[in-house]
Amino acid sequence: MKISRKDVEHVALLARLELTEEEIEAYTGQLDSILEYAAMLNRLDTDNVEPTAHAVPLHNVLRTDEVRRSIEREKALQNAPDSEDGFFRVPKIV
Amino acid sequence: MSIFERYEMVCGVETHVELATKTKIFCGCTTEFGGEQNTHVCPVCLGLPGVLPVLNREVVNLAIKAGLALNCEIAEFSKFDRKNYYYPDLPKNYQTSQYDLPICKNGWLLIETEEGPKKIGITRAHMEEDAGKLVHSGETITTSDESYVDYNRTGVPLLEIVSEPDMRSISEVLAYLEQLVQILEYTEASDCRMEQGSVRFDINVSLRPRGSAEFGIRTETKNLNSFSSVRRCLEYELARQAEVLDSGDKVIQETRTWDEGRGMTLSLRSKEEAHDYRYFPEPDLVPLVIEREWVERIRRDLPELPAARRERLQSLGLSAYDAGVITSSKGLADFFDQALRTCPDAKSLANWVMGDFTRLLKAAEISVIHSPIAPEQLAQMVNLIEKGTISGKIGKSVIEEMFASGKDAEVIVKEKGLAQISDESALVKIIDEVIGNNPASVEDYRAGKERAIGFLVGQVMKATKGQANPGLVNKLLKERLT
Amino acid sequence: MELTAKSAAELHRLLENKEISASELTKAYLERINALEDKVKAFVTLTEDSALKQAAEVDSKLGRGDKLGPLEGIPMALKDNMCTEGVRTTCSSKILENFVPPYNATVAERLRQAGAIMLGKLNMDEFAMGSSTENSAFHVTRNPWDLERVTGGSSGGSAAAVAADQAVFTLGSDTGGSIRQPAAFCGVVGLKPTYGAVSRYGLIAYASSLDQIGPFTKDVRDNALVMNAIAGHDPKDSTSVPYEKPDYTEFLVNDIKGLKIGIPREYFGQGIDAEVDKVLRQAIETLKALGAEVEECSMPHTEYAMPAYYLIAPAEASSNLARYDGVRYGYRAQEAEDIISMFKKTRAEGFGDEVKRRIMLGTYALSAGYYDAYYLKAQKVRTLIKRDFDRVLEKYDVLLVPTAPTVAFKFGEKSTDPLAMYLSDVCTVPLNLAGLPGLTLPAGFAGGMPVGLQLMGKPFDEGTLYRVAYTFEQNTDFHKAKPAFPGEVA
């Protein structure tokens, strides 16, 4: 086993997902088999291979420092589950 | 007994400064401070589904500029990465930042210490986006049942400047910060508006027994936004760490927050907190390839930095102290240099700039860039004194009048008839009267009491309400009495 | 022939000759949708009112005697991961069920400017994660050729709508095969353009370095027409390439004499259904007969594409999907005592099973201690896969491979085993890693279900793919076959 239940719980916290008992169990097994499958990559020697992060070889894509109109606050807040007085409202932070 | 007799402090600082661009790092929203909440936002900086970032060229220019001023190497290849963590002021729940290939690295700056100049290393400086602002319903974050989020600041470009752990005393830390802020201000990479939170410091500090070569366990106190908070925070945190060490315990490596009101640092530990930023290359932005020509172009346009400026002012005859005072703010130094163009006497000008001029600005709470007296106007006033048109004493009232009305010194002098009386025939009449009215002093002088002439000069000055040219009065008196 | 069965090119002619009006055409499509939707369920949202309004505008333009653009008045629909201003955009997820974007995706804007009429938004696997459209939070979409079978995915709604004549064309997105595989399963033409050819601005990201938008059409000509409208540089997308966009219809010539087609043998190995294999061998013979020079070749790293993809895509997704936290938009769980529990509950309740699984997988692949072993390793393998393509494409103009190992499978057949489902992308994933263009077109039938052949080409050489596809289409009848719905005369 590559993946333990504890790993799954830790990753779920990092990813901010509250998992049920069944989910923890299922994901533990599933992630394990997927990673087991992914381990076949280790058959390849990649010591001198550069990683590819982008499919296209672009660089220096830049824009000029010109102010564009912002959107109206109403529009910014139109999808907010909870807002007040022009702010997004969230529950207790600490 | 001071803790510093037993322990040595080791300190490094991460400084976040807002870069002085018109628009945000990845969208065209304004970076202006103080807009109504959530009015400087767009789909991009709100992190709406589907949006993509496009890098602001000016952010790169200013980062290179600051890097050069801090003696950094500018990377030929640089890229952005995502730093993943959840916080409600971070719209995408990741911050687009730079991880392993920052734009600037291996720099330094010089600070003055009691033992002479000391080099403080700068490990790196990288570009990133700022987060939004939280407003809490209660007094502090910990006592609030809910919080309110304003995303106006989200996406304002930041340069994070990471120092080496080179500082060994609180005064070294402060000297470093002052020097750093001064350099950034000089290059105009940042406005450094501390009161608006545009400069923020994270302080990493530890103690180790004197003589020990290894670093102790450090804490990081985040988000200090003034030099005085840094000083107070360090005083508190070092005392706290010393107490922990004295009792035989270990300092816990952790992130802390500074409570300005209570004057103490507080632990930010939380059982839910798992620190793992999962950096990976930002797929929505392509890398930067920084041609040397680009760097050189910016280097050529670099303004004179504080150290070079101090040196130049000293070469004009200013003392090291005076040169330091004038260059302490770029605004004041620019004012001085501008005035210097039409005022040949640097020393005299410096005295007026540091003296009455600064006093008037302070009293009126006006910054030098908004001064009602233009540099050329101050130069003109100093020149009037040097030429003998007015006395230094009259100058003091003239500058006040200039400050209040914005008028030229020459105009004020003319309107109020403040010019010194240098007309011999007019003065001779008054002098003869004074001689006639003060026979005793005349007698004393003629008897060889040189000092008596001072009294007679004073009487002439009094009779002319201070407008007589004192040198001329002296000369004419002597002629009449011999 | 039914009006709704016609291609965009044919309909354009009818509109210009005033044989039909845009309103009549739009109404015909809305009726067709209403008649079939309870069977197919391709749509998540219908925009009937605005469609009719748009059509009326086109008609008044026609009334003035103005010329129409090639897509003007042509009814179409978008996959529901492309933002449409004022029209809810859900990604078929509960977490965005009520999200109404305040802006248009670049493709939506370009089609609007071209005068195409939007009928609605199309169903998909939640956040484009899936290969069957069974992962939609709302409903499954059924394959028009057999309602017991899946459409493929993740752009299942986009493929089904074109196959069922519910839209003249649609747009989908392809991260690991999400255009090509459903196009093959539903018997339509689907193109995944070169990465950077079509703007991603406004496409709700799954895996940013792989995602690309492309058209589903009834034939190859329409596909080129839609590309003419949507492709080209966009300053809002930093990964959009400033290339010189050709008129793609200029490549529609019925001639492939001397063209070199490579057949990478790794794609025809085990796992490929024998009937599918037979259809493809037949298609290869057809192309040979038309004058193409066909040759077998090898791409040795092909088998590593799947595991590399299933590390890279979920890793990027885990970060892209972090923003769904219930603060600024979308679903928020009630009764959370603090922000962390609000985040955790919102995401637990708002995301479906497959999305959570990929977020978990991706978070793990990026986490401390595993980054080098998984994510970085996968990116290095990505380089090797790219090199395979570079090498063979030096020698061949295009490559021909299957689109999927099988025809459309039955509902539930693979949905219990994630890995088995992932393997249905085995023929499509390598191309996304290399960022190259790929086109799927109908090549025959196996057991009554469509089989699609896949052409893969050089960067920004969609033109050659169109040329080969067009020539094949002109010399075969597969694209003319239509599914018969129960109650309809075939």
Side-chain angles (χ1 to χ4, degrees), chain A residues 54 65 69:
Chain A
H54 292 90
D65 187 24
R69 265 239 316 269

Side-chain angles (χ1 to χ4, degrees), chain B residues 210-230:
Chain B
R210 289 233 161 250
S212 161
E214 278 167 45
F215 289 166
I217 296 164
R218 69 188 159 86
T219 61
E220 180 179 21
T221 307
K222 282 193 174 285
N223 269 325
L224 295 148
N225 54 16
S226 74
F227 295 152
S228 73
S229 305
V230 170

Side-chain angles (χ1 to χ4, degrees), chain B residues 114-152:
Chain B
E114 280 168 20
E115 294 89 47
K118 176 173 173 177
K119 215 179 217 187
I120 305 294
I122 287 166
T123 319
R124 57 182 280 163
H126 67 256
M127 302 172 280
E128 62 185 24
E129 56 183 342
D130 206 348
K133 238 180 190 157
L134 291 170
V135 180
H136 306 296
S137 62
E139 293 229 334
T140 65
I141 187 168
T142 46
T143 60
S144 300
D145 285 337
E146 48 194 23
S147 296
Y148 300 86
V149 202
D150 169 12
Y151 291 108
N152 280 353

Side-chain angles (χ1 to χ4, degrees), chain A residues 10-18 50-79 82-94, chain B residues 21-29 36-43 46 54-58 60 86-88 134-135 141-142 144-151 272 274 276 278 281-283 285-289 294:
Chain A
H10 172 71
V11 168
L13 174 60
L14 284 178
R16 297 290 188 261
L17 284 170
E18 187 172 272
E50 284 295 310
T52 295
H54 292 90
V56 286
L58 288 173
H59 62 265
N60 295 10
V61 175
L62 300 158
R63 68 179 171 83
T64 53
D65 187 24
E66 272 167 25
V67 177
R68 306 284 289 258
R69 265 239 316 269
S70 295
I71 58 171
E72 296 100 74
R73 185 159 70 191
E74 220 171 280
K75 277 194 172 180
L77 290 162
Q78 77 183 9
N79 285 292
D82 191 10
S83 66
E84 190 184 292
D85 195 24
F87 287 101
F88 295 86
R89 183 159 54 186
V90 295
K92 193 173 171 54
I93 289 176
V94 200
Chain B
T21 56
K22 292 202 267 299
T23 66
K24 294 185 178 183
I25 183 166
F26 299 126
C27 68
C29 286
E36 269 196 53
Q37 62 271 21
N38 294 308
T39 55
H40 298 170
V41 294
C42 73
L46 280 173
V54 185
L55 181 59
N56 181 347
R57 179 187 300 275
E58 193 58 14
V60 185
Y86 284 82
Y87 211 67
L134 291 170
V135 180
I141 187 168
T142 46
S144 300
D145 285 337
E146 48 194 23
S147 296
Y148 300 86
V149 202
D150 169 12
Y151 291 108
E272 291 274 32
D276 186 344
R278 289 159 285 134
E282 169 59 273
L285 290 167
V286 298
L288 282 169
V289 175
W294 186 357

Side-chain angles (χ1 to χ4, degrees), chain C residues 164-429:
Chain C
D165 291 337
Q166 292 179 310
V168 182
F169 71 90
T170 62
L171 296 188
S173 65
D174 190 317
T175 307
S178 284
I179 290 175
R180 291 159 288 155
Q181 184 251 29
F185 280 11
C186 294
V188 297
V189 180
L191 174 80
K192 181 212 96 81
T194 311
Y195 186 88
V198 178
S199 170
R200 293 187 297 118
Y201 186 76
L203 170 68
I204 299 181
Y206 158 24
S208 313
S209 78
L210 305 164
D211 295 343
Q212 190 63 195
I213 293 173
F216 286 88
T217 54
K218 298 178 202 217
D219 63 22
V220 176
R221 175 174 298 280
D222 276 11
N223 212 282
L225 284 171
V226 178
M227 270 299 275
N228 276 350
I230 64 169
H233 180 243
D234 177 12
K236 288 180 183 156
D237 175 358
S238 304
T239 61
S240 162
V241 177
Y243 72 106
E244 203 159 317
K245 187 179 80 171
D247 174 355
Y248 289 104
T249 60
E250 283 179 5
F251 295 92
L252 305 176
V253 291
N254 185 358
D255 174 21
I256 51 166
K257 273 183 211 74
L259 216 81
K260 292 194 180 67
I261 300 179
I263 311 289
R265 68 175 71 91
E266 288 79 4
Y267 285 79
F268 292 81
Q270 53 167 200
I272 301 293
D273 178 87
E275 294 243 359
V276 169
D277 189 75
K278 210 171 113 192
V279 168
L280 289 163
R281 300 285 172 197
Q282 185 55 50
I284 292 167
E285 291 312 311
T286 304
L287 291 168
K288 270 188 197 164
L290 290 166
E293 289 172 23
V294 181
E295 199 176 280
E296 229 186 55
C297 63
S298 173
M299 298 175 70
H301 296 101
T302 303
E303 63 171 319
Y304 299 100
M306 280 295 295
Y309 173 84
Y310 275 97
L311 293 171
I312 292 169
E316 292 181 11
S318 72
S319 174
N320 284 332
L321 271 61
R323 68 190 65 191
Y324 307 104
D325 61 4
V327 175
R328 292 155 300 278
Y329 41 77
Y331 176 79
R332 177 191 284 197
Q334 298 305 308
E335 287 159 34
E337 65 271 21
D338 60 28
I339 194 95
I340 291 185
S341 82
M342 192 276 270
F343 284 170
K344 286 162 69 177
K345 283 185 164 53
T346 293
R347 293 164 60 76
E349 294 167 19
F351 288 136
D353 182 53
E354 182 60 32
V355 172
K356 287 188 218 174
R357 181 161 34 249
R358 292 198 199 184
I359 290 174
M360 292 289 292
L361 179 57
T363 304
Y364 183 82
L366 289 175
S367 65
Y370 300 105
Y371 180 87
D372 286 4
Y374 292 113
Y375 187 75
L376 189 66
K377 182 80 184 181
Q379 281 201 325
K380 289 180 167 187
V381 172
R382 187 174 180 180
T383 305
L384 297 177
I385 289 159
K386 233 174 153 231
R387 283 186 197 159
D388 271 3
F389 276 101
D390 291 347
R391 211 190 54 250
V392 290
L393 286 169
E394 258 176 41
K395 201 166 168 201
Y396 305 103
D397 298 301
V398 297
L399 306 172
L400 189 153
V401 297
T403 308
T406 64
V407 294
F409 41 89
K410 296 210 159 139
F411 287 106
E413 203 178 306
K414 298 186 184 206
S415 54
T416 50
D417 180 359
L419 202 50
M421 184 71 91
Y422 297 171
L423 288 170
S424 67
D425 297 337
V426 69
C427 301
T428 48
V429 152

